[in-house]
Amino acid sequence: MTETQVPQASTEDIGSVQRPENPWKRAAITSLGPIVAAVVLSGLILLAFGVDPIAYYGFVIEKGLLSSLGLQQTLTRMAPLLFLAAGLIVAFRAGIWNLGVDGQFLLGAVGAAALAPVLVETMPGWLVLLLGFLLAGLIGAAWSVIPALLRAYQGVNEIITTLMMSFLGVSIANALVKLVFWDPNTTVPQTRTLPVADRLPRLFDTTISSGVLWALLAILAVHFVMTRTAFGLRLRTVGANPRAATHAGLSVPLLTVAVFAISAGFAGLAGATEILGVNGNIRTDWNPAYGLTIIPLVFLARFNGPVSIILIFFYSVILIGSESAARRVGVPQDFRLILVGMLMIFLGLAEWLDTRSRKRAG
């Protein structure tokens, strides 16, 4: 009686078996990798111009994170960025490129800045703030109507239309400050100023605007809706496969318009947060251009709300800390834009490499 021969697996056979992908390794490569590469390359640029990159980044961390006042400013700066991120997550998960958030942001800010100082003379402060936020959200949503209708019913690429509307919105916002809402008591064109006492309350005994709490709730609510509700599933289905969504009985044009309105509405709320919580007014030609700088962070977070919060926190540290670091080491304050630009380049490269490796594995 012969023994049963059990075939032995060769080394080649074992090597040909595909191991399951490690999600943490992929996240490190596609998210942390671009950050590290952007920081290193930007540091080399500083070094090439005779600036110590260690000193620069050290001042950024010290003034934006480790000092009490810097940390409070960092948390306050997060508020409009979180609102913008919430709107972008909705749009990107639904397969829509809303690149007009800067125009929506500024128009919403102008609406809140024009309304609040007038109403505060006759209404309770809490009601003025509420109406200011509502108006800003509605203005932001209204500014997305044209790109939304063109995309929903004519198939026009929203990248072009939203960028054009953003440029027009920024120009109109500046014109409104100069021609319509200019405070006659000032020599520099700006809107009337909302008194500090009537702005969003501060948290405890700090300078942190309570707007950051509302922004945190907004982005967490968006994350929950997009990942745990039927409405979020509909939007993701439209973004992943519009034809399949149509066959499933979903109204793709209506959902497309809804996505534009929600995303742009959050951009308007971001503008209101900046005015009603921090600045109190708008000066002519003011444009922080938060929108196009927050897009790479949302992509780095893979449209994930909690991860976006973490990345926006560190980006806010850079925004606040770089202002002091630039003065200390003698570089332009806008050097942080080089860092953001590098981040976008490496993000695109990491995405391309990840897509290529997945195709090979498949």
Side-chain angles (χ1 to χ4, degrees):
M1 186 176 181
T2 61
E3 296 180 357
T4 304
Q5 299 295 325
V6 179
Q8 299 295 321
S10 66
T11 305
E12 294 181 357
D13 294 333
I14 295 175
S16 64
V17 177
Q18 294 183 358
R19 294 187 178 93
E21 183 182 12
N22 187 338
W24 293 104
K25 180 180 178 181
R26 178 173 177 264
I29 294 174
T30 57
S31 295
L32 294 180
I35 295 176
V36 173
V39 169
V40 171
L41 187 56
S42 298
L44 292 176
I45 294 175
L46 289 173
L47 197 61
F49 286 98
V51 177
D52 184 2
I54 303 299
Y56 177 81
Y57 290 129
F59 283 126
V60 168
I61 295 174
E62 177 185 353
K63 299 302 180 181
L65 179 62
L66 301 182
S67 69
S68 176
L69 179 59
L71 181 59
Q72 293 176 44
Q73 293 176 336
T74 294
L75 294 174
T76 298
R77 183 65 61 88
M78 288 179 65
L81 303 182
L82 289 172
F83 272 121
L84 288 171
L88 289 172
I89 288 173
V90 173
F92 292 156
R93 278 187 173 269
I96 292 173
W97 289 75
N98 178 19
L99 302 186
V101 288
D102 282 329
Q104 298 152 9
F105 171 93
L106 272 181
L107 287 173
V110 169
L115 181 71
V118 175
L119 295 184
V120 77
E121 298 175 356
T122 57
M123 292 185 178
W126 65 268
L127 182 57
V128 171
L129 294 175
L130 177 60
L131 293 176
F133 272 99
L134 288 176
L135 178 63
L138 290 174
I139 290 175
W143 199 244
S144 71
V145 168
I146 293 178
L149 294 177
L150 289 175
R151 163 64 190 268
Y153 295 100
Q154 300 298 325
V156 178
N157 191 316
E158 74 276 9
I159 294 178
I160 299 174
T161 55
T162 54
L163 284 174
M164 292 175 62
M165 293 296 290
S166 182
F167 175 79
L168 183 59
V170 171
S171 301
I172 291 177
N174 289 324
L176 288 173
V177 173
K178 293 179 181 180
L179 302 177
V180 181
F181 302 125
W182 186 347
D183 184 358
N185 297 320
T186 61
T187 56
V188 178
Q190 68 177 48
T191 62
R192 293 179 59 181
T193 301
L194 182 68
V196 175
D198 295 314
R199 299 175 194 173
L200 288 172
R202 302 292 190 242
L203 297 180
F204 308 108
D205 294 327
T206 68
T207 61
I208 303 173
S209 171
S210 58
V212 69
L213 292 182
W214 297 109
L216 284 170
L217 289 175
I219 196 168
L220 291 176
V222 163
H223 180 76
F224 175 80
V225 169
M226 296 302 295
T227 59
R228 296 289 187 271
T229 67
F231 180 69
L233 177 61
R234 293 189 186 98
L235 296 185
R236 298 200 313 271
T237 302
V238 170
N241 194 329
R243 290 186 178 180
T246 301
H247 286 302
L250 300 180
S251 177
V252 174
L254 183 60
L255 288 174
T256 298
V257 173
V259 167
F260 270 100
I262 294 171
S263 179
F266 275 120
L269 293 179
T273 302
E274 189 78 352
I275 300 305
L276 302 180
V278 182
N279 295 346
N281 61 34
I282 290 183
R283 290 191 175 186
T284 183
D285 298 326
W286 175 73
N287 181 16
Y290 289 147
L292 295 181
T293 57
I294 209 69
I295 288 174
L297 300 183
V298 174
F299 270 92
L300 274 175
R302 304 294 174 185
F303 315 143
N304 181 288
V307 178
S308 295
I309 293 172
I310 297 173
L311 293 179
I312 287 172
F313 171 74
F314 284 109
Y315 179 66
S316 299
V317 169
I318 294 175
L319 286 179
I320 298 300
S322 63
E323 296 175 0
S324 176
R327 293 192 299 269
R328 298 290 186 91
V329 301
V331 299
Q333 291 190 4
D334 288 337
F335 179 79
R336 65 177 182 269
L337 298 179
I338 295 179
L339 179 60
V340 173
M342 295 294 178
L343 181 60
M344 295 182 70
I345 292 173
F346 285 112
L347 173 63
L349 181 60
E351 186 70 23
W352 175 75
L353 291 174
D354 180 59
T355 303
R356 185 178 180 183
S357 64
R358 283 173 170 269
K359 287 182 178 180
R360 287 182 175 180

